[in-house]
Amino acid sequence: NAGVIQTPRHKVTGKGQEATLWCEPISGHSAVFWYRQTIVQGLEFLTYFRNQAPIDDSGMPKERFSAQMPNQSHSTLKIQSTQPQDSAVYLCASSLDSEENERLFFGHGTKLSVL
Amino acid sequence: GDSVTQTEGLVTLTEGLPVMLNCTYQTIYSNPFLFWYVQHLNESPRLLLKSFTDNKRTEHQGFHATLHKSSSSFHLQKSSAQLSDSALYYCALSDRASGTYQRFGTGTKLQVVP
């Protein structure tokens, strides 16, 4: 079991460019979460999928952020027209979606730097 | 909405002294799950312990926490800090009744010094 895989590990974009971040959850996990991590905000919830369906995207900045889960083996987070304030570590996590087994397994994250 | 509050951004302790990191929460309903995750430098967060039972102590790797619904608290404690405990600690909340899953506080950085 390779754990949650996130690619790329680092991404540098220019202001106004698009960034796509990839996540492969642990096989068999039905819940996938995206978080943005900064020193000031900590782990900020962005969005959550269950069995590939979007359940809660209340944390997503609506204008430029979007997330998809086209199949059970990967999810993407896309940021259009990136801004310097988008610079952060973006963490993906997966979980068995049951009350008894609820715990998150995190990937190593993608460090996004917007110049 | 549901939320988690961690009031200390940084806690610095001398090795051997007790640890207590504060976590309080707010939920619409009264059956939350509370979690503590730990993140060491250059690693990703991992679960340290969790609880949903009121007034029951949960322990793991020398740390313990008790969920107190009366005060909406889930403080993390350890009797004697070690240098290796230096890390970022996050408290998190799930409340399925309200549709809230794995919401995190802002985190507390624990720095243990010799």
Side-chain angles (χ1 to χ4, degrees), chain A residues 35 37 50 56 102 104 107, chain B residues 37 39 90 94 101-103:
Chain A
Y35 294 89
Q37 184 175 33
R50 181 193 295 151
D56 183 355
E102 185 173 343
L104 295 182
Chain B
Y37 286 82
Q39 184 177 22
Y90 287 104
S94 285
Y101 298 90
Q102 300 285 346
R103 293 295 199 276

Side-chain angles (χ1 to χ4, degrees), chain A residues 10-15 17 82-84 86-90 110-115:
Chain A
H10 299 93
K11 186 166 182 68
V12 180
T13 65
K15 182 179 173 181
Q17 292 183 327
T82 54
Q83 302 297 310
D86 299 331
S87 297
V89 175
Y90 289 83
T110 294
K111 184 175 181 180
L112 177 66
S113 299
V114 182
L115 303 179

Side-chain angles (χ1 to χ4, degrees), chain B residues 61-103:
Chain B
Q61 295 184 334
F63 287 90
H64 63 92
T66 303
L67 176 59
H68 292 296
K69 293 184 180 180
S70 60
S71 57
S72 299
S73 67
F74 191 58
H75 305 318
L76 183 67
Q77 299 182 68
K78 188 179 185 186
S79 58
S80 175
Q82 297 178 296
L83 295 176
S84 58
D85 294 330
S86 296
L88 194 49
Y89 292 81
Y90 287 104
C91 185
L93 162 75
S94 285
D95 185 350
R96 288 177 176 248
S98 65
T100 297
Y101 298 90
Q102 300 285 346
R103 293 295 199 276

Side-chain angles (χ1 to χ4, degrees), chain A residues 56-97:
Chain A
D56 183 355
D57 67 353
S58 60
M60 296 276 276
K62 291 294 187 283
E63 294 81 22
R64 298 182 295 105
F65 284 60
S66 62
Q68 294 183 329
M69 191 161 184
N71 57 60
Q72 63 186 7
S73 63
H74 91 272
S75 175
T76 57
L77 178 68
K78 185 180 292 185
I79 308 172
Q80 295 178 311
S81 185
T82 54
Q83 302 297 310
Q85 61 265 30
D86 299 331
S87 297
V89 175
Y90 289 83
L91 286 164
C92 176
S94 70
S95 172
L96 291 167
D97 191 31

Side-chain angles (χ1 to χ4, degrees), chain A residues 11-37:
Chain A
K11 186 166 182 68
V12 180
T13 65
K15 182 179 173 181
Q17 292 183 327
E18 182 178 287
T20 300
L21 314 180
W22 297 74
C23 171
E24 180 180 331
I26 292 173
S27 177
H29 282 190
S30 54
V32 172
F33 295 77
W34 283 96
Y35 294 89
R36 177 166 59 185
Q37 184 175 33

Side-chain angles (χ1 to χ4, degrees), chain A residues 9 33 35 37-43 45 48 50 55-56 58 91 96-108, chain B residues 31 33 35 37 39 42-48 50 52 88 90 93-97 99-107:
Chain A
R9 291 293 297 269
F33 295 77
Y35 294 89
Q37 184 175 33
T38 60
I39 293 172
V40 174
Q41 297 290 339
L43 276 170
F45 169 81
Y48 157 56
R50 181 193 295 151
I55 301 299
D56 183 355
S58 60
L91 286 164
L96 291 167
D97 191 31
S98 70
E99 210 165 62
E100 301 76 28
N101 295 306
E102 185 173 343
R103 63 175 286 188
L104 295 182
F105 292 84
F106 284 87
H108 284 98
Chain B
N31 289 307
F33 274 68
F35 306 79
Y37 286 82
Q39 184 177 22
N42 297 322
E43 296 182 6
S44 52
R46 62 173 176 83
L47 181 68
L48 181 58
K50 68 178 184 180
F52 64 93
L88 194 49
Y90 287 104
L93 162 75
S94 285
D95 185 350
R96 288 177 176 248
T100 297
Y101 298 90
Q102 300 285 346
R103 293 295 199 276
F104 286 79
T106 50

